[in-house]
Amino acid sequence: MCGIVGILGQADVARELVDGLKRLEYRGYDSAGICTIVDGQFGRRRAEGKLKNLTARLDAEPLKGRSGIAHTRWATHGAPTVDNAHPHIVGDVAVVHNGIIENFKPLRDMLLAEGRVFLSETDTEVVGHLVARELEAGKSPTEAVAEVLPKLHGAFALALLFRNDPDLLIGARLGAPLTVGYGDGENYLGSDALALAGLTQRIAYLEEGDWVVVRRASVEVFDRDNRPAQRPVVSSGVSATITEKGNYRHFMQKEIFEQPLVVAQTLHSYLKPLQGQVALPIPDFDFSGVKRVQIVACGTSYYAGMVASYWLEKFARIPVEIDYASEFRYREPVLEPGGLALFISQSGETADTLAALRHAKAEGQKIAAVVNVPTSSMAREADLLLPTHAGTEIGVASTKAFTCQLAVLAALAANLARVRGKFSADDEREIVSHLAEVPAALNAALNHDEAIAEIAPLIAKARDVLYLGRGPEFAMAMEGALKLKEISYIHAEGYAAGEMKHGPIALIDEDVPVIVLAPSGPLFEKTVSNMQEVRARGGRIILISDAEGIRQAGEGTVATIEMPQVHPLIAPIVYAVPVQLLAYHVAVAKGTDVDQPRNLAKSVTVE
Ligand code: F6R
């Protein structure tokens, strides 16, 4: 959600702090700030809005100092103003924070009753006051932090800088990620490996409840019981150039066009095409005892799960239930012993999904996780890790991670179908051959980019847009609507095509474009009938189908988008491309900020 960087350097650090924030800006961009120590005093610059405002502020008033912390914010407590921007300085300590201090209200009331003065509306300032209070009572910075951490409830990653000790950074993590970077005579803290990619490749991931005392010459990690702990130093493998757009105008566009490559990369570790077999990277797990699957995820990952629920039931004939992670725990789901709970997440850090994963684990479920960030909390806490190999996704709207999730989930469904005796060797071979065709089909879909761009102005003027589909394409209709909403700010709804006539059809008039996803296949005719019901009421239809579908049903539509003819299994993966491109081109036509849409953040680490 928010992004944190801390540097104890050999030279002035302001520029490197801002470079770190640039790589983290995808996590939030409501405001940004940095704080360094200059001649024994804190120096701070903060700015509302995007990082470029902070950069302009620093150009006008540069900041010296070899020790510093920095933050890019996605607002939770308090509006995105300069006063609420981090770092927060209280006395001799400056603090940046990602997450939420859930008990900040009683803590703040207690501190106010002591006569302490707050300068922001944030929960973070409470941490500053608590630490400052201990320092004022004569404690050392490490003693002060050790005293304060157990008092904080919620999810947080913190980095603290101390005015009287420019060779010290203290970090802490509970429920939000934090990494330590190791340099030569320098050391760092960062929200993730990407934050530190321009500084070092040698990093250690802190565990839940850890806190860390960082100096230029040493790093000491303590666990939640304050016992010294060793966390392995690994190579991050993340290059700073990942955060460059190359020849593309936006990261989202680049990531859409990367899909054939990254889906092929992902499928490579799940299929043996020559043998016609699926081979999951968890060969030791015996799926034969699995009686039902509980899928949990948020947003786009949830829609990947929704597509998978169709595949798992159709191919593996296994009962599936799917929940939004934010709802899952609170509806007190009945989870039978021996159940498989499947969590899907690009970041592996989404707070709702992580909390649901821990709940399911506590309830004795076997935990499988489809995750794109292999070092994330979900990846580490799952019993069965099913990685996607989409590479770093920077655009806030998820695209390539989604199609990679679908590729993994299709392989999982085929695997379960075989284990449960629902697939013969021939069935498996056939499915594997269709999955192996996905990268080429994605390329063919991408070839329609220009045609899709031409349709975008039709939609850019609309106030409301409907997306219709049946079966897995219903899930894709939901995903298409989400993509459009989040980057073009146009209200959009995804509907099950057959459900329209039960109410939403009342919305239809000539101002509401209706986008119909209808690959030819078993559900085509029924979907087309629903489309005609819309057309008969003056609806302006954009049909996404293959050549055959368009030949049969394209008449009377305002536009058609042609997709390659593919097997129904892989249609949802391929049809992701036109809905992504449509949303992308509409956003470009409207001039919105495609990669950093308002109010959003890439990784949502608060509930
Ligand atoms: C939409 C989008 C979000 C995420 C959701 C879950 O384009 O990116 O809806 O899909 O916040 O995030 P992850 O997959 O990281 O758990």
Side-chain angles (χ1 to χ4, degrees):
M1 164 130 328
C2 303
I4 292 178
V5 194
I7 303 180
L8 294 178
Q10 293 294 343
D12 288 342
V13 292
R15 240 204 38 217
E16 284 171 333
L17 285 170
V18 171
D19 285 348
L21 291 185
K22 273 186 197 146
R23 290 188 290 271
L24 285 177
E25 205 181 9
Y26 73 97
R27 297 173 76 95
Y29 33 79
D30 286 335
S31 64
I34 76 172
C35 178
T36 60
I37 300 174
V38 195
D39 300 331
Q41 298 303 323
F42 284 134
R44 178 172 65 175
R45 304 284 181 272
R46 298 182 292 175
E48 250 178 77
K50 301 275 166 72
L51 196 52
K52 61 178 193 295
N53 300 345
L54 177 66
T55 315
R57 182 88 182 76
L58 280 162
D59 287 346
E61 270 188 278
L63 201 51
K64 296 190 95 46
R66 298 187 302 126
S67 315
I69 52 176
H71 187 266
T72 177
R73 178 168 188 244
W74 188 79
T76 58
H77 290 72
T81 58
V82 172
D83 285 345
N84 288 331
H86 302 212
H88 293 284
I89 296 175
V90 184
D92 291 339
V93 63
V95 57
V96 289
H97 164 218
N98 167 26
I100 290 186
I101 309 296
E102 284 172 1
N103 59 336
F104 95 101
K105 182 82 175 64
L107 290 172
R108 187 178 159 113
D109 289 348
M110 175 197 79
L111 291 159
L112 284 170
E114 287 178 7
R116 291 189 160 267
V117 178
F118 281 77
L119 302 176
S120 78
E121 303 156 289
T122 65
D123 50 342
T124 309
E125 201 183 348
V126 163
V127 181
H129 275 285
L130 289 172
V131 173
R133 192 165 160 257
E134 300 299 331
L135 295 175
E136 287 158 20
K139 297 230 166 76
S140 69
T142 39
E143 287 165 347
V145 173
E147 185 73 26
V148 168
L149 288 177
K151 297 194 167 85
L152 306 177
H153 302 163
F156 54 79
L158 294 167
L160 300 109
L161 185 67
F162 298 86
R163 190 175 66 79
N164 294 324
D165 192 347
D167 187 34
L168 175 66
L169 274 179
I170 298 184
R173 82 155 276 180
L174 187 78
L178 192 65
T179 58
V180 186
Y182 292 77
D184 292 328
E186 304 196 340
N187 284 318
Y188 322 103
L189 286 173
S191 287
D192 59 24
L194 194 57
L196 305 181
L199 297 165
T200 183
Q201 291 280 305
R202 287 188 293 141
I203 58 166
Y205 293 92
L206 294 184
E207 301 277 330
E208 278 299 83
D210 280 356
W211 61 287
V212 60
V213 176
V214 181
R215 296 191 175 276
R216 284 181 178 77
S218 65
V219 171
E220 286 173 286
V221 180
F222 300 92
D223 68 11
R224 63 171 82 227
D225 299 318
N226 293 338
R227 289 177 307 222
Q230 298 298 322
R231 304 296 173 221
V233 180
V234 296
S235 166
S236 76
V238 179
S239 133
T241 56
I242 278 175
T243 52
E244 288 168 14
K245 290 195 273 265
N247 290 331
Y248 292 96
R249 197 166 155 198
H250 298 100
F251 281 110
M252 182 183 179
Q253 186 189 28
K254 173 173 174 249
E255 288 160 6
I256 290 173
F257 278 86
E258 277 171 5
Q259 289 179 111
L261 180 71
V262 295
V263 168
Q265 244 162 241
T266 301
L267 285 170
H268 182 72
S269 39
Y270 286 81
L271 303 183
K272 289 193 204 152
L274 294 178
Q275 287 95 321
Q277 284 170 358
V278 173
L280 301 186
I282 40 170
D284 298 336
F285 183 65
D286 177 10
F287 280 98
S288 60
V290 176
K291 299 275 174 296
R292 64 188 282 283
V293 179
Q294 169 70 59
I295 299 178
V296 184
C298 302
T300 287
S301 297
Y302 175 88
Y303 297 129
M306 206 170 146
V307 173
S309 69
Y310 288 94
W311 288 337
L312 285 162
E313 295 205 324
K314 181 176 167 68
F315 297 118
R317 305 299 304 146
I318 192 162
V320 180
E321 209 159 331
I322 172 158
D323 279 79
Y324 287 116
S326 53
E327 289 293 313
F328 175 69
R329 278 189 299 162
Y330 305 107
R331 76 171 171 88
E332 297 182 24
V334 181
L335 300 169
E336 285 160 26
L340 180 72
L342 174 63
F343 295 83
I344 308 167
S345 175
Q346 188 285 126
S347 60
E349 299 292 352
T350 301
D352 290 317
T353 315
L354 189 56
L357 182 152
R358 289 177 179 157
H359 177 80
K361 202 169 201 178
E363 295 285 309
Q365 301 297 288
K366 195 82 181 169
I367 307 296
V370 177
V371 176
N372 195 42
V373 180
T375 49
S376 62
S377 303
M378 278 181 234
R380 283 184 285 142
E381 293 183 31
D383 302 314
L384 309 169
L385 175 61
L386 297 166
T388 48
H389 301 294
T392 305
E393 195 177 62
I394 304 275
V396 161
S398 186
T399 53
K400 61 176 181 170
F402 174 68
T403 39
C404 287
Q405 288 167 347
L406 290 178
V408 169
L409 293 164
L412 177 68
N415 185 284
L416 268 164
R418 184 193 58 218
V419 172
R420 292 169 59 80
K422 309 294 174 197
F423 265 8
S424 65
D426 281 349
D427 293 332
E428 186 175 355
R429 196 169 303 114
E430 195 201 326
I431 291 296
V432 168
S433 75
H434 292 308
L435 284 175
E437 285 162 14
V438 170
L442 289 171
N443 261 323
L446 287 166
N447 283 338
H448 295 271
D449 181 41
E450 275 179 28
I452 295 172
E454 279 167 23
I455 295 170
L458 285 178
I459 295 172
K461 291 192 285 288
R463 212 188 57 185
D464 308 286
V465 177
L466 290 175
Y467 285 73
L468 303 183
R470 273 180 182 258
E473 279 69 41
F474 165 38
M476 297 310 298
M478 305 280 283
E479 168 60 5
L482 175 61
K483 284 283 94 82
L484 190 71
K485 274 188 272 219
E486 64 184 332
I487 61 168
S488 75
Y489 317 146
I490 295 175
H491 169 244
E493 297 289 340
Y495 257 96
E499 185 64 15
M500 276 297 286
K501 57 188 176 292
H502 298 292
I505 202 160
L507 294 171
I508 299 299
D509 64 25
E510 61 284 1
D511 294 328
V512 181
V514 181
I515 297 163
V516 180
L517 286 84
S520 44
L523 300 172
F524 177 76
E525 280 175 14
K526 289 253 185 294
T527 311
V528 168
S529 304
N530 302 135
M531 182 182 100
Q532 300 303 8
E533 290 153 15
V534 171
R535 219 187 109 203
R537 284 153 183 89
R540 290 188 309 140
I541 289 159
I542 294 159
L543 173 65
I544 310 181
S545 187
D546 42 51
E548 179 56 22
I550 290 172
R551 192 186 60 71
Q552 284 184 39
E555 210 184 304
T557 60
V558 292
T560 57
I561 299 175
E562 189 182 318
M563 288 291 100
Q565 190 97 29
V566 291
H567 186 273
L569 165 77
I570 68 167
I573 316 182
V574 178
Y575 280 58
V577 169
V579 296
Q580 293 165 349
L581 284 174
L582 204 51
Y584 172 75
H585 287 298
V586 172
V588 171
K590 288 196 71 177
T592 57
D593 190 336
V594 171
D595 285 328
Q596 295 182 343
R598 69 185 181 203
N599 303 339
L600 295 176
K602 181 81 188 148
S603 173
V604 188
T605 53
V606 292
E607 278 190 63

